[in-house]
């Protein structure tokens, strides 16, 4: 029996090698038959994923799912956004309620290795910071000894906070919330003097939710690494590959100057990388179990990584710098070779 199974596996491999075509994978089949991509997002962080009054989502994380829907279903609007708190997110993915998380989720060893999940890339390099009211007259994190700190449960934030204060020999009083809305309200009502989360979250909350953003400062200290990116369930390598190469496709497009506006003309480019990215040569899409226009459709619908960043993240006051710049500009945004 085992030999028979081994032989069957070998035939399968031979088929892939001969045709160069990947098997679609069960998640992709399910997404196609559902006609929608179920995308787990946060319950509302301006710049990353936030719904307007009509339920239309915007933000970097939301746009990533729109790009995937354009690539996989041919229509960027075929996304069902599922808002999830930090605490709910992994269960929702494990149970199949969503096809992926695209939700300011930090890639850590524990999450990547022991939850039956796998991270597909990094869409934003972040780190944890602190926000305080200006009139507290605090300039740096080491002045926070004894502070009451608002924090959301089920996050790396909660763990780093404890590590940081312990390492500095300082004490703090955690004021813990499961719900983002409640934690923001508590902070702006003065129930805690300090709010801590990823710096992107701080910038978002300060810009979009503070009664007067100028009354609050984000301290210069960054106390952790928070690489944020999409997560899928283990056990479906084909779907994992599609999500991973969608991240790279958007980054490569930026590096090569392919935008939502010029993508059609760029199909006549003589640059072999652009040709492969846009499906003119190389059959990259077919190898992913898609069609060769996958990336062109995604770029046309939402733009390249730089366009996503400019549209969503610049408005919350985070310039494109440091690790989030392209590697060609000294950053860490680097696509594996499309060939
Ligand atoms: N990146 C951290 C924190 C992510 C996180 O969930 N942060 C909170 C505070 S900004 C949040 O996004 N909440 C949104 C929500 O609960 O919907 C993690 O992965 O644990």
């Amino acid at each position: 029996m085992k030999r028979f199974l081994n032989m069957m596996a070998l035939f399968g491999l031979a088929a892939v090698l001969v045709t160069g075509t990947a098997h679609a994978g069960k998640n992709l089949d399910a997404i196609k038959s559902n006609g929608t991509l179920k995308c787990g997002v946060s319950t509302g962080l301006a710049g990353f994923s936030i719904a307007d009054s009509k339920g239309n989502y915007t933000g970097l994380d939301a746009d990533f799912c729109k790009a995937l829907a354009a690539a996989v279903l041919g229509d960027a609007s075929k996304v069902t956004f599922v808002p999830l708190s930090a605490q709910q997110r992994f269960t929702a993915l494990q149970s199949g309620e969503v096809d992926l998380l695209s939700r300011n989720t930090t890639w850590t060893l524990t999450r990547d290795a022991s939850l039956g999940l796998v991270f597909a890339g990094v869409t934003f390099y972040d780190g944890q910071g602190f926000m305080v009211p200006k009139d507290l007259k605090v300039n740096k994190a080491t002045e926070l000894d004894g502070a009451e700190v608002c924090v959301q449960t089920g996050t790396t934030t909660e763990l780093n906070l404890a590590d940081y204060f312990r390492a500095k020999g300082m004490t703090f009083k955690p004021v813990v919330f499961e719900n983002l809305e409640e934690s923001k309200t508590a902070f702006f009502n003065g129930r805690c003097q300090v709010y801590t989360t990823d710096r992107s979250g701080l910038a978002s909350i300060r810009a979009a939710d503070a009664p007067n953003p100028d009354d609050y400062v984000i301290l210069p200290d960054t106390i952790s690494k928070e690489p944020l990116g999409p997560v899928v369930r283990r056990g479906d390598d084909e779907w994992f590959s599609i999500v991973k190469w969608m991240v790279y496709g958007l980054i490569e497009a930026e590096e090569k100057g392919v935008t939502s506006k010029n993508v059609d003309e760029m199909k006549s480019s003589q640059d072999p990388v652009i040709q492969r990215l846009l499906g003119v040569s190389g059959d990259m899409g077919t190898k992913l179990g898609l069609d060769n226009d996958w990336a062109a459709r995604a770029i046309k619908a939402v733009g390249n990584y730089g366009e996503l960043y400019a549209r969503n993240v610049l408005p919350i006051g985070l310039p494109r710098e440091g690790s989030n710049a392209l590697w060609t500009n000294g950053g860490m945004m680097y696509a594996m070779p499309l060939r």
Side-chain angles (χ1 to χ4, degrees), residues 42-45 84-86 89 103-106 111 152 154-157 180 195 197-198 201 205 226 228:
S42 72
T43 61
L45 265 186
L84 298 167
S85 73
R89 63 187 148 172
R103 186 210 173 281
N104 57 336
T105 294
T106 305
R111 291 171 176 179
Q152 242 185 302
T155 57
T156 48
T157 321
L180 174 65
Y195 195 97
T197 185
D198 305 335
I205 292 168
E226 308 292 327
L228 311 177

Side-chain angles (χ1 to χ4, degrees), residues 37-327:
L37 174 77
K38 291 176 286 178
C39 173
V41 288
S42 72
T43 61
L45 265 186
F48 289 84
S49 60
I50 188 140
D52 66 13
S53 56
K54 295 194 190 77
N56 296 317
Y57 273 83
T58 53
L60 184 81
D61 290 341
D63 278 354
F64 181 72
C65 280
K66 292 182 192 175
L68 264 179
V72 166
L73 295 169
D75 185 345
S77 72
K78 291 195 171 154
V79 183
T80 306
F81 288 103
V82 181
L84 298 167
S85 73
Q87 192 80 309
Q88 296 166 325
R89 63 187 148 172
F90 299 120
T91 322
L93 181 57
Q94 286 158 341
S95 69
E97 191 186 337
V98 293
D99 299 311
L100 77 155
L101 291 179
S102 182
R103 186 210 173 281
N104 57 336
T105 294
T106 305
W107 186 341
T108 68
L109 186 149
T110 304
R111 291 171 176 179
D112 202 46
S114 70
L115 298 183
L117 308 176
V118 58
F119 281 77
V122 177
T123 49
F124 193 89
Y125 289 95
D126 210 339
Q128 185 173 335
F130 299 100
M131 176 161 63
V132 294
K134 214 173 239 171
D135 58 19
L136 207 63
K137 303 224 171 351
V138 162
N139 297 311
K140 53 183 191 300
T142 46
E143 294 167 23
L144 295 175
D145 196 7
E148 287 176 319
V149 186
C150 277
V151 62
Q152 242 185 302
T153 193
T155 57
T156 48
T157 321
E158 208 182 356
L159 310 173
N160 299 326
L161 175 66
D163 285 355
Y164 178 79
F165 275 75
R166 194 182 316 110
K168 296 278 179 211
M170 307 192 309
T171 61
F172 70 103
K173 192 171 168 294
V175 185
V176 180
F177 295 90
E178 195 201 321
N179 180 292
L180 174 65
E181 214 43 55
E182 283 173 16
S183 67
K184 290 188 297 199
T185 310
F187 175 65
F188 292 125
N189 287 339
R191 263 193 70 193
C192 41
Q193 297 118 4
V194 185
Y195 195 97
T196 186
T197 185
D198 305 335
R199 297 185 76 86
S200 61
L202 295 178
S204 168
I205 292 168
R206 179 174 176 269
D209 304 298
N212 178 10
D214 285 342
D215 291 346
Y216 296 89
V217 282
I218 296 171
L219 300 181
D221 314 73
T222 301
I223 66 162
S224 68
K225 290 182 285 188
E226 308 292 327
L228 311 177
V231 197
V232 295
R233 276 182 299 283
R234 278 183 183 230
D236 186 338
D237 289 346
E238 288 75 18
W239 177 234
F240 171 61
S241 283
I242 290 170
V243 177
K244 174 168 59 180
W245 285 95
M246 190 75 262
V247 176
Y248 293 148
L250 297 178
I251 296 171
E252 187 75 65
E254 181 183 13
E255 189 184 332
K256 288 290 171 183
V258 180
T259 68
S260 52
K261 304 277 168 339
N262 70 13
V263 56
D264 290 328
E265 300 99 82
M266 280 293 203
K267 286 185 178 169
S268 4
S269 162
Q270 294 309 302
D271 182 330
V273 179
I274 296 179
Q275 289 184 356
R276 284 193 291 273
L277 175 68
L278 300 183
V280 179
S281 67
D283 288 332
M284 297 295 126
T286 324
K287 286 166 188 161
L288 290 170
L290 302 171
D291 63 87
N292 290 328
D293 212 32
W294 68 288
R297 272 195 307 272
I299 297 161
K300 191 163 186 166
V302 302
N304 63 36
Y305 181 80
E307 290 177 273
L308 259 67
Y309 195 105
R311 184 168 62 238
N312 298 306
V313 185
L314 292 183
I316 60 165
L318 290 176
R320 184 89 184 274
E321 61 187 12
S323 306
N324 288 311
L326 279 182
W327 70 288

